[in-house]
Amino acid sequence: MKKRIGILTSGGDCPGLNATIRGVAKALYQRMGDSVEIIGIANGYSGLINGEWRVMQPHEFSGILTVGGTILGTKRTPFKLMRVIGEDKVDKVAAMKKNYAEMKLDCLLTLGGNGTHKTANLLSEEGLNIIGLPKTIDNDIYGTDVTFGFHTAVDIATDVIDRIHTTAGSHSRVMVVEIMGNKAGWLTLYAGIAGGADIILIPELPYSIDNVCRAVEARGKEGKNFSIVAVAEGVYDTVEARMKKKERAAKRTEAGEITATSRIARQIEEKTGLETRVCVPGHMQRGGSPSAYDRVLATQFGVHAAKLVEAEQYGVTVAMKNRRTTENVLSEIAGKSRLVPPDHAMLSVARRMGICLG
Ligand code: F6P
Protein backbone atom coordinates (compact mmCIF):
# COMPACT_ATOMS: atom_id res chain seq x y z
CA MET A 1 0.00 0.00 0.00
CA LYS A 2 1.26 3.41 -0.96
CA LYS A 3 1.72 6.03 1.73
CA ARG A 4 -0.39 9.09 0.91
CA ILE A 5 0.91 12.41 2.16
CA GLY A 6 -1.18 15.56 1.90
CA ILE A 7 0.48 18.96 1.79
CA LEU A 8 -0.94 22.46 2.04
CA THR A 9 0.34 26.01 2.49
CA SER A 10 -1.81 28.37 4.52
CA GLY A 11 -1.79 32.03 5.63
CA GLY A 12 0.39 34.71 4.06
CA ASP A 13 2.87 33.43 1.49
CA CYS A 14 6.61 33.89 1.86
CA PRO A 15 9.84 33.00 0.08
CA GLY A 16 10.89 29.43 0.86
CA LEU A 17 7.50 27.71 0.72
CA ASN A 18 8.32 25.98 -2.57
CA ALA A 19 11.84 25.17 -1.41
CA THR A 20 10.31 23.45 1.63
CA ILE A 21 7.72 21.57 -0.45
CA ARG A 22 10.57 20.43 -2.73
CA GLY A 23 12.68 19.39 0.27
CA VAL A 24 9.91 17.20 1.67
CA ALA A 25 9.02 15.68 -1.68
CA LYS A 26 12.54 14.90 -2.85
CA ALA A 27 13.50 13.40 0.51
CA LEU A 28 10.34 11.27 0.53
CA TYR A 29 10.83 9.99 -3.03
CA GLN A 30 14.50 9.34 -2.30
CA ARG A 31 13.68 7.09 0.64
CA MET A 32 10.35 5.63 -0.37
CA GLY A 33 10.33 5.76 -4.17
CA ASP A 34 7.07 4.56 -5.71
CA SER A 35 5.60 3.65 -2.35
CA VAL A 36 4.76 7.28 -1.58
CA GLU A 37 2.19 9.53 -3.19
CA ILE A 38 1.95 13.27 -2.55
CA ILE A 39 -1.38 14.99 -2.67
CA GLY A 40 -1.30 18.76 -3.15
CA ILE A 41 -4.17 20.64 -1.54
CA ALA A 42 -4.88 24.04 -3.10
CA ASN A 43 -5.22 27.33 -1.21
CA GLY A 44 -4.60 26.14 2.34
CA TYR A 45 -7.43 25.03 4.60
CA SER A 46 -9.93 26.48 2.15
CA GLY A 47 -8.91 23.76 -0.32
CA LEU A 48 -9.10 21.13 2.39
CA ILE A 49 -12.61 22.28 3.25
CA ASN A 50 -13.75 22.44 -0.37
CA GLY A 51 -12.00 19.31 -1.61
CA GLU A 52 -9.57 21.05 -3.99
CA TRP A 53 -6.77 18.53 -4.30
CA ARG A 54 -4.85 16.41 -6.76
CA VAL A 55 -2.17 13.74 -6.80
CA MET A 56 1.11 15.38 -7.74
CA GLN A 57 3.85 13.94 -9.92
CA PRO A 58 7.54 13.89 -8.90
CA HIS A 59 8.55 16.23 -11.74
CA GLU A 60 6.30 18.95 -10.30
CA PHE A 61 8.74 19.34 -7.41
CA SER A 62 11.68 20.09 -9.69
CA GLY A 63 12.70 23.62 -10.63
CA ILE A 64 10.88 25.23 -7.71
CA LEU A 65 13.76 25.75 -5.26
CA THR A 66 14.24 29.35 -6.33
CA VAL A 67 10.60 30.19 -7.03
CA GLY A 68 8.84 32.58 -4.65
CA GLY A 69 5.25 32.20 -3.42
CA THR A 70 3.68 28.76 -3.34
CA ILE A 71 2.86 26.40 -6.20
CA LEU A 72 -0.10 25.16 -4.14
CA GLY A 73 -1.70 28.56 -3.61
CA THR A 74 -2.59 29.90 -0.17
CA LYS A 75 -5.39 31.64 1.63
CA ARG A 76 -6.14 33.04 5.05
CA THR A 77 -8.90 30.98 6.71
CA PRO A 78 -9.07 32.40 10.25
CA PHE A 79 -8.80 29.87 13.05
CA LYS A 80 -11.51 31.62 15.08
CA LEU A 81 -14.03 30.88 12.30
CA MET A 82 -13.14 27.21 11.94
CA ARG A 83 -15.89 26.06 14.27
CA VAL A 84 -18.35 28.74 13.15
CA ILE A 85 -20.91 27.67 10.59
CA GLY A 86 -21.47 30.60 8.24
CA GLU A 87 -24.04 31.46 5.60
CA ASP A 88 -22.79 28.66 3.35
CA LYS A 89 -23.89 26.22 6.10
CA VAL A 90 -20.60 24.33 5.77
CA ASP A 91 -19.28 22.60 8.88
CA LYS A 92 -15.62 23.33 8.11
CA VAL A 93 -14.09 20.89 10.60
CA ALA A 94 -16.35 18.04 9.45
CA ALA A 95 -15.57 18.88 5.81
CA MET A 96 -11.81 18.81 6.45
CA LYS A 97 -12.09 15.44 8.18
CA LYS A 98 -14.25 14.06 5.39
CA ASN A 99 -11.83 15.20 2.68
CA TYR A 100 -8.83 13.88 4.62
CA ALA A 101 -10.55 10.48 4.71
CA GLU A 102 -11.56 10.69 1.03
CA MET A 103 -7.98 11.45 0.04
CA LYS A 104 -6.98 8.39 2.09
CA LEU A 105 -4.18 10.36 3.71
CA ASP A 106 -1.69 8.83 6.11
CA CYS A 107 -0.78 12.31 7.23
CA LEU A 108 -1.12 15.99 6.37
CA LEU A 109 1.75 18.48 6.23
CA THR A 110 0.71 22.04 7.03
CA LEU A 111 3.11 24.82 6.09
CA GLY A 112 2.22 28.04 7.85
CA GLY A 113 2.47 30.48 10.70
CA ASN A 114 0.73 30.85 14.03
CA GLY A 115 -2.84 30.75 12.67
CA THR A 116 -2.03 27.69 10.56
CA HIS A 117 -0.58 25.90 13.57
CA LYS A 118 -3.72 26.59 15.63
CA THR A 119 -5.94 24.96 13.02
CA ALA A 120 -3.39 22.17 12.58
CA ASN A 121 -3.65 21.50 16.32
CA LEU A 122 -7.44 21.47 16.12
CA LEU A 123 -7.24 18.86 13.35
CA SER A 124 -4.72 16.87 15.37
CA GLU A 125 -7.11 16.89 18.32
CA GLU A 126 -9.80 15.68 15.92
CA GLY A 127 -7.65 12.64 15.19
CA LEU A 128 -5.82 13.62 11.96
CA ASN A 129 -2.10 12.92 11.62
CA ILE A 130 -0.43 16.31 11.32
CA ILE A 131 3.12 17.55 10.81
CA GLY A 132 3.54 21.35 10.81
CA LEU A 133 6.33 23.39 9.22
CA PRO A 134 7.14 26.90 10.46
CA LYS A 135 6.76 29.58 7.82
CA THR A 136 6.57 33.35 8.25
CA ILE A 137 8.51 36.50 7.51
CA ASP A 138 7.54 37.62 11.05
CA ASN A 139 9.76 34.97 12.72
CA ASP A 140 7.26 34.82 15.58
CA ILE A 141 6.55 31.10 15.92
CA TYR A 142 7.03 29.81 19.41
CA GLY A 143 9.56 27.03 19.94
CA THR A 144 11.77 27.64 16.90
CA ASP A 145 14.74 29.98 16.68
CA VAL A 146 13.93 30.80 13.08
CA THR A 147 11.20 30.37 10.47
CA PHE A 148 11.74 30.15 6.72
CA GLY A 149 10.96 33.38 4.90
CA PHE A 150 12.32 35.60 7.64
CA HIS A 151 15.87 36.00 6.39
CA THR A 152 14.79 36.74 2.82
CA ALA A 153 12.41 39.42 4.11
CA VAL A 154 15.26 40.87 6.21
CA ASP A 155 17.36 41.06 3.03
CA ILE A 156 14.58 42.78 1.09
CA ALA A 157 13.75 45.28 3.86
CA THR A 158 17.48 45.97 4.30
CA ASP A 159 17.79 46.72 0.60
CA VAL A 160 14.90 49.19 0.92
CA ILE A 161 16.61 50.94 3.84
CA ASP A 162 19.90 51.02 1.91
CA ARG A 163 18.23 52.67 -1.07
CA ILE A 164 16.32 55.12 1.11
CA HIS A 165 19.63 56.37 2.52
CA THR A 166 20.76 57.96 -0.74
CA THR A 167 17.49 59.73 -1.45
CA ALA A 168 17.18 60.82 2.21
CA GLY A 169 20.71 62.25 2.09
CA SER A 170 20.18 64.00 -1.25
CA HIS A 171 17.03 65.76 -0.05
CA SER A 172 17.99 66.28 3.61
CA ARG A 173 14.87 64.43 4.66
CA VAL A 174 13.62 62.17 7.40
CA MET A 175 12.46 58.91 5.80
CA VAL A 176 10.06 56.69 7.73
CA VAL A 177 10.11 53.13 6.37
CA GLU A 178 7.22 50.87 7.33
CA ILE A 179 8.27 47.26 7.73
CA MET A 180 5.87 44.31 8.07
CA GLY A 181 5.12 42.91 11.50
CA ASN A 182 1.90 43.58 13.34
CA LYS A 183 2.78 42.02 16.65
CA ALA A 184 6.42 41.01 16.32
CA GLY A 185 9.29 43.39 15.65
CA TRP A 186 11.95 40.85 14.57
CA LEU A 187 11.93 41.90 10.93
CA THR A 188 12.15 45.61 11.71
CA LEU A 189 14.84 45.07 14.33
CA TYR A 190 17.06 42.95 12.08
CA ALA A 191 16.53 44.97 8.90
CA GLY A 192 16.90 48.18 10.90
CA ILE A 193 20.26 47.10 12.25
CA ALA A 194 21.40 45.63 8.92
CA GLY A 195 20.35 48.79 7.06
CA GLY A 196 21.81 51.21 9.59
CA ALA A 197 18.51 52.82 10.61
CA ASP A 198 18.87 55.63 13.16
CA ILE A 199 15.60 54.91 14.92
CA ILE A 200 13.91 51.50 15.18
CA LEU A 201 10.36 51.19 16.49
CA ILE A 202 8.83 47.78 17.23
CA PRO A 203 5.45 46.72 18.68
CA GLU A 204 7.07 45.18 21.76
CA LEU A 205 8.47 48.58 22.86
CA PRO A 206 5.86 51.38 22.86
CA TYR A 207 7.54 54.58 21.69
CA SER A 208 7.38 58.20 22.77
CA ILE A 209 7.21 60.57 19.80
CA ASP A 210 9.22 63.11 21.80
CA ASN A 211 12.08 60.61 22.12
CA VAL A 212 11.91 59.95 18.38
CA CYS A 213 12.02 63.68 17.57
CA ARG A 214 14.86 64.25 20.05
CA ALA A 215 16.88 61.54 18.28
CA VAL A 216 16.22 63.15 14.88
CA GLU A 217 17.23 66.59 16.20
CA ALA A 218 20.34 65.21 17.88
CA ARG A 219 21.49 63.89 14.50
CA GLY A 220 20.98 67.35 13.03
CA LYS A 221 23.18 68.82 15.77
CA GLU A 222 25.88 66.26 14.86
CA GLY A 223 25.80 67.59 11.31
CA LYS A 224 23.80 64.73 9.81
CA ASN A 225 21.33 66.03 7.25
CA PHE A 226 18.94 63.06 7.20
CA SER A 227 17.49 60.35 9.41
CA ILE A 228 16.05 56.93 8.73
CA VAL A 229 13.26 55.61 10.94
CA ALA A 230 12.41 51.89 10.61
CA VAL A 231 8.88 51.33 11.91
CA ALA A 232 7.10 47.99 12.34
CA GLU A 233 3.54 48.33 11.04
CA GLY A 234 2.02 47.34 14.41
CA VAL A 235 3.75 49.91 16.63
CA TYR A 236 1.95 52.10 19.14
CA ASP A 237 3.01 54.90 21.41
CA THR A 238 3.21 54.98 25.20
CA VAL A 239 -0.26 56.57 25.48
CA GLU A 240 -1.86 53.91 23.25
CA ALA A 241 -0.03 51.24 25.22
CA ARG A 242 -2.37 51.93 28.11
CA MET A 243 -5.47 51.45 25.92
CA LYS A 244 -7.36 48.35 24.88
CA LYS A 245 -6.96 47.30 21.22
CA LYS A 246 -10.48 48.48 20.27
CA GLU A 247 -10.06 51.84 22.01
CA ARG A 248 -6.75 52.32 20.23
CA ALA A 249 -8.31 51.58 16.84
CA ALA A 250 -11.25 53.93 17.54
CA LYS A 251 -8.89 56.73 18.53
CA ARG A 252 -6.88 56.34 15.36
CA THR A 253 -9.97 56.32 13.16
CA GLU A 254 -11.29 59.43 14.91
CA ALA A 255 -7.97 61.20 14.30
CA GLY A 256 -8.06 60.12 10.64
CA GLU A 257 -4.77 58.24 11.04
CA ILE A 258 -4.67 55.23 8.78
CA THR A 259 -1.37 53.83 9.99
CA ALA A 260 1.01 54.46 12.86
CA THR A 261 3.71 55.13 10.27
CA SER A 262 1.86 58.02 8.64
CA ARG A 263 1.16 59.51 12.05
CA ILE A 264 4.79 59.24 13.09
CA ALA A 265 5.90 60.98 9.87
CA ARG A 266 3.36 63.78 10.37
CA GLN A 267 4.39 64.28 13.99
CA ILE A 268 8.11 64.34 13.15
CA GLU A 269 7.50 66.99 10.50
CA GLU A 270 5.31 69.08 12.81
CA LYS A 271 7.61 68.85 15.81
CA THR A 272 11.01 69.18 14.12
CA GLY A 273 10.13 71.19 11.02
CA LEU A 274 12.10 68.69 8.92
CA GLU A 275 10.74 67.46 5.62
CA THR A 276 9.57 63.89 6.17
CA ARG A 277 8.40 61.14 3.82
CA VAL A 278 6.93 57.66 4.26
CA CYS A 279 8.04 54.56 2.35
CA VAL A 280 5.94 51.39 2.50
CA PRO A 281 7.54 48.39 0.76
CA GLY A 282 4.58 46.26 1.92
CA HIS A 283 4.08 42.87 0.30
CA MET A 284 7.30 43.20 -1.68
CA GLN A 285 8.87 41.94 1.55
CA ARG A 286 7.14 38.60 0.94
CA GLY A 287 7.86 38.39 -2.76
CA GLY A 288 10.45 36.83 -5.01
CA SER A 289 13.09 34.19 -4.69
CA PRO A 290 14.24 32.93 -1.27
CA SER A 291 17.73 33.87 -0.13
CA ALA A 292 20.47 31.23 0.03
CA TYR A 293 19.95 31.09 3.81
CA ASP A 294 16.24 30.38 3.41
CA ARG A 295 16.82 27.78 0.69
CA VAL A 296 19.12 25.89 3.02
CA LEU A 297 16.75 26.25 5.99
CA ALA A 298 13.71 25.21 3.91
CA THR A 299 15.58 22.16 2.63
CA GLN A 300 16.65 21.21 6.17
CA PHE A 301 13.05 21.60 7.40
CA GLY A 302 11.67 19.64 4.44
CA VAL A 303 14.09 16.77 5.01
CA HIS A 304 13.24 16.73 8.72
CA ALA A 305 9.53 16.59 7.92
CA ALA A 306 10.17 13.65 5.57
CA LYS A 307 11.96 11.85 8.42
CA LEU A 308 8.94 12.43 10.65
CA VAL A 309 6.65 11.02 7.95
CA GLU A 310 8.79 7.91 7.72
CA ALA A 311 8.84 7.52 11.51
CA GLU A 312 5.05 8.16 11.62
CA GLN A 313 5.66 10.81 14.24
CA TYR A 314 2.60 13.02 14.16
CA GLY A 315 1.12 15.90 16.17
CA VAL A 316 4.42 17.78 15.87
CA THR A 317 5.95 20.81 14.15
CA VAL A 318 9.43 21.03 12.70
CA ALA A 319 11.73 23.51 14.45
CA MET A 320 15.29 24.80 14.60
CA LYS A 321 16.85 24.99 18.04
CA ASN A 322 20.48 25.85 18.65
CA ARG A 323 21.24 25.22 14.97
CA ARG A 324 19.73 21.72 15.02
CA THR A 325 16.53 20.67 13.29
CA THR A 326 14.14 19.10 15.73
CA GLU A 327 10.43 19.08 16.46
CA ASN A 328 7.94 20.46 18.96
CA VAL A 329 4.72 18.90 20.18
CA LEU A 330 2.06 20.79 18.25
CA SER A 331 -0.31 21.18 21.22
CA GLU A 332 2.51 22.73 23.26
CA ILE A 333 3.27 25.52 20.80
CA ALA A 334 -0.06 26.20 19.07
CA GLY A 335 -1.55 29.51 20.15
CA LYS A 336 1.71 30.90 21.51
CA SER A 337 3.83 33.43 19.71
CA ARG A 338 7.43 34.47 20.04
CA LEU A 339 7.89 38.21 20.40
CA VAL A 340 11.09 40.19 20.90
CA PRO A 341 11.76 39.92 24.66
CA PRO A 342 12.64 43.25 26.36
CA ASP A 343 16.05 41.89 27.36
CA HIS A 344 16.95 40.51 23.93
CA ALA A 345 20.64 40.88 23.08
CA MET A 346 19.86 42.57 19.76
CA LEU A 347 18.05 45.40 21.57
CA SER A 348 21.10 45.95 23.69
CA VAL A 349 23.28 45.93 20.53
CA ALA A 350 21.00 48.60 19.05
CA ARG A 351 21.14 50.77 22.19
CA ARG A 352 24.92 50.50 22.40
CA MET A 353 25.10 51.61 18.78
CA GLY A 354 23.18 54.74 19.71
CA ILE A 355 20.06 53.64 17.83
CA CYS A 356 16.92 55.18 19.34
CA LEU A 357 14.31 52.50 20.17
CA GLY A 358 11.62 55.04 20.95
O1 F6P B 1 2.31 37.36 8.79
C1 F6P B 1 2.98 37.85 7.70
C2 F6P B 1 2.50 39.24 7.33
O2 F6P B 1 3.22 39.64 6.20
C3 F6P B 1 2.58 40.28 8.43
O3 F6P B 1 3.85 40.79 8.63
C4 F6P B 1 1.59 41.28 7.93
O4 F6P B 1 1.11 42.08 8.99
C5 F6P B 1 0.52 40.43 7.34
O5 F6P B 1 1.13 39.21 6.98
C6 F6P B 1 -0.16 41.01 6.13
O6 F6P B 1 -1.20 40.17 5.76
P1 F6P B 1 -1.93 40.15 4.35
O7 F6P B 1 -1.01 39.52 3.36
O8 F6P B 1 -3.13 39.33 4.58
O9 F6P B 1 -2.20 41.57 3.98
PDB file of all heavy atoms in Angstrom, residues 76 137-138 180-182 233 283 286, ligand 1:
ATOM      1  N   ARG A  76      -5.950  32.911   3.606  1.00  0.00           N
ATOM      2  CA  ARG A  76      -6.141  33.043   5.053  1.00  0.00           C
ATOM      3  C   ARG A  76      -7.541  32.536   5.400  1.00  0.00           C
ATOM      4  O   ARG A  76      -8.526  33.074   4.912  1.00  0.00           O
ATOM      5  CB  ARG A  76      -6.016  34.501   5.476  1.00  0.00           C
ATOM      6  CG  ARG A  76      -4.597  35.038   5.364  1.00  0.00           C
ATOM      7  CD  ARG A  76      -4.468  36.354   6.100  1.00  0.00           C
ATOM      8  NE  ARG A  76      -3.182  36.981   5.858  1.00  0.00           N
ATOM      9  CZ  ARG A  76      -2.053  36.662   6.505  1.00  0.00           C
ATOM     10  NH1 ARG A  76      -2.074  35.735   7.439  1.00  0.00           N
ATOM     11  NH2 ARG A  76      -0.928  37.286   6.221  1.00  0.00           N
ATOM     12  N   ILE A 137       7.483  35.456   7.530  1.00  0.00           N
ATOM     13  CA  ILE A 137       8.512  36.504   7.515  1.00  0.00           C
ATOM     14  C   ILE A 137       8.589  37.179   8.888  1.00  0.00           C
ATOM     15  O   ILE A 137       9.525  37.905   9.157  1.00  0.00           O
ATOM     16  CB  ILE A 137       8.251  37.572   6.423  1.00  0.00           C
ATOM     17  CG1 ILE A 137       6.959  38.349   6.695  1.00  0.00           C
ATOM     18  CG2 ILE A 137       8.243  36.953   5.045  1.00  0.00           C
ATOM     19  CD1 ILE A 137       6.881  39.662   5.923  1.00  0.00           C
ATOM     20  N   ASP A 138       7.567  36.950   9.743  1.00  0.00           N
ATOM     21  CA  ASP A 138       7.543  37.619  11.048  1.00  0.00           C
ATOM     22  C   ASP A 138       8.473  36.962  12.069  1.00  0.00           C
ATOM     23  O   ASP A 138       8.794  37.563  13.093  1.00  0.00           O
ATOM     24  CB  ASP A 138       6.120  37.625  11.607  1.00  0.00           C
ATOM     25  CG  ASP A 138       5.168  38.455  10.764  1.00  0.00           C
ATOM     26  OD1 ASP A 138       5.647  39.297   9.991  1.00  0.00           O
ATOM     27  OD2 ASP A 138       3.947  38.251  10.882  1.00  0.00           O
ATOM     28  N   MET A 180       6.960  45.200   7.633  1.00  0.00           N
ATOM     29  CA  MET A 180       5.875  44.308   8.067  1.00  0.00           C
ATOM     30  C   MET A 180       6.122  43.756   9.476  1.00  0.00           C
ATOM     31  O   MET A 180       7.265  43.614   9.896  1.00  0.00           O
ATOM     32  CB  MET A 180       5.684  43.177   7.079  1.00  0.00           C
ATOM     33  CG  MET A 180       4.800  43.563   5.914  1.00  0.00           C
ATOM     34  SD  MET A 180       4.375  42.138   4.918  1.00  0.00           S
ATOM     35  CE  MET A 180       2.972  42.798   4.025  1.00  0.00           C
ATOM     36  N   GLY A 181       5.048  43.437  10.135  1.00  0.00           N
ATOM     37  CA  GLY A 181       5.122  42.911  11.497  1.00  0.00           C
ATOM     38  C   GLY A 181       4.101  43.628  12.356  1.00  0.00           C
ATOM     39  O   GLY A 181       4.309  44.761  12.767  1.00  0.00           O
ATOM     40  N   ASN A 182       2.961  42.952  12.554  1.00  0.00           N
ATOM     41  CA  ASN A 182       1.901  43.578  13.336  1.00  0.00           C
ATOM     42  C   ASN A 182       2.109  43.444  14.822  1.00  0.00           C
ATOM     43  O   ASN A 182       1.836  44.351  15.588  1.00  0.00           O
ATOM     44  CB  ASN A 182       0.546  42.966  12.949  1.00  0.00           C
ATOM     45  CG  ASN A 182      -0.293  43.986  12.244  1.00  0.00           C
ATOM     46  OD1 ASN A 182      -0.341  45.141  12.684  1.00  0.00           O
ATOM     47  ND2 ASN A 182      -0.934  43.596  11.163  1.00  0.00           N
ATOM     48  N   GLU A 233       4.895  47.831  11.311  1.00  0.00           N
ATOM     49  CA  GLU A 233       3.541  48.331  11.037  1.00  0.00           C
ATOM     50  C   GLU A 233       2.639  48.327  12.281  1.00  0.00           C
ATOM     51  O   GLU A 233       1.721  49.127  12.379  1.00  0.00           O
ATOM     52  CB  GLU A 233       2.894  47.553   9.892  1.00  0.00           C
ATOM     53  CG  GLU A 233       2.797  46.071  10.169  1.00  0.00           C
ATOM     54  CD  GLU A 233       2.202  45.261   9.015  1.00  0.00           C
ATOM     55  OE1 GLU A 233       1.464  45.802   8.191  1.00  0.00           O
ATOM     56  OE2 GLU A 233       2.485  44.055   8.970  1.00  0.00           O
ATOM     57  N   HIS A 283       4.000  44.297   0.641  1.00  0.00           N
ATOM     58  CA  HIS A 283       4.079  42.871   0.301  1.00  0.00           C
ATOM     59  C   HIS A 283       5.301  42.507  -0.537  1.00  0.00           C
ATOM     60  O   HIS A 283       5.562  41.317  -0.727  1.00  0.00           O
ATOM     61  CB  HIS A 283       2.787  42.427  -0.396  1.00  0.00           C
ATOM     62  CG  HIS A 283       1.626  42.385   0.550  1.00  0.00           C
ATOM     63  ND1 HIS A 283       0.951  43.518   0.925  1.00  0.00           N
ATOM     64  CD2 HIS A 283       1.064  41.363   1.236  1.00  0.00           C
ATOM     65  CE1 HIS A 283       0.006  43.195   1.792  1.00  0.00           C
ATOM     66  NE2 HIS A 283       0.059  41.897   1.998  1.00  0.00           N
ATOM     67  N   ARG A 286       7.473  40.030   0.976  1.00  0.00           N
ATOM     68  CA  ARG A 286       7.143  38.603   0.940  1.00  0.00           C
ATOM     69  C   ARG A 286       7.350  38.009  -0.449  1.00  0.00           C
ATOM     70  O   ARG A 286       7.069  36.824  -0.667  1.00  0.00           O
ATOM     71  CB  ARG A 286       5.681  38.391   1.353  1.00  0.00           C
ATOM     72  CG  ARG A 286       5.384  38.779   2.775  1.00  0.00           C
ATOM     73  CD  ARG A 286       4.308  37.914   3.405  1.00  0.00           C
ATOM     74  NE  ARG A 286       3.149  37.676   2.600  1.00  0.00           N
ATOM     75  CZ  ARG A 286       1.912  38.070   2.920  1.00  0.00           C
ATOM     76  NH1 ARG A 286       1.700  38.754   4.014  1.00  0.00           N
ATOM     77  NH2 ARG A 286       0.902  37.761   2.161  1.00  0.00           N
TER      78      ARG A 286
HETATM   79  O1  F6P B   1       2.310  37.363   8.790  1.00  0.00           O
HETATM   80  C1  F6P B   1       2.975  37.852   7.702  1.00  0.00           C
HETATM   81  C2  F6P B   1       2.496  39.237   7.329  1.00  0.00           C
HETATM   82  O2  F6P B   1       3.220  39.643   6.197  1.00  0.00           O
HETATM   83  C3  F6P B   1       2.576  40.276   8.430  1.00  0.00           C
HETATM   84  O3  F6P B   1       3.854  40.789   8.625  1.00  0.00           O
HETATM   85  C4  F6P B   1       1.594  41.285   7.931  1.00  0.00           C
HETATM   86  O4  F6P B   1       1.111  42.077   8.987  1.00  0.00           O
HETATM   87  C5  F6P B   1       0.521  40.432   7.342  1.00  0.00           C
HETATM   88  O5  F6P B   1       1.130  39.211   6.980  1.00  0.00           O
HETATM   89  C6  F6P B   1      -0.156  41.010   6.126  1.00  0.00           C
HETATM   90  O6  F6P B   1      -1.197  40.172   5.762  1.00  0.00           O
HETATM   91  P1  F6P B   1      -1.934  40.146   4.352  1.00  0.00           P
HETATM   92  O7  F6P B   1      -1.011  39.515   3.361  1.00  0.00           O
HETATM   93  O8  F6P B   1      -3.135  39.326   4.584  1.00  0.00           O
HETATM   94  O9  F6P B   1      -2.203  41.570   3.985  1.00  0.00           O
END
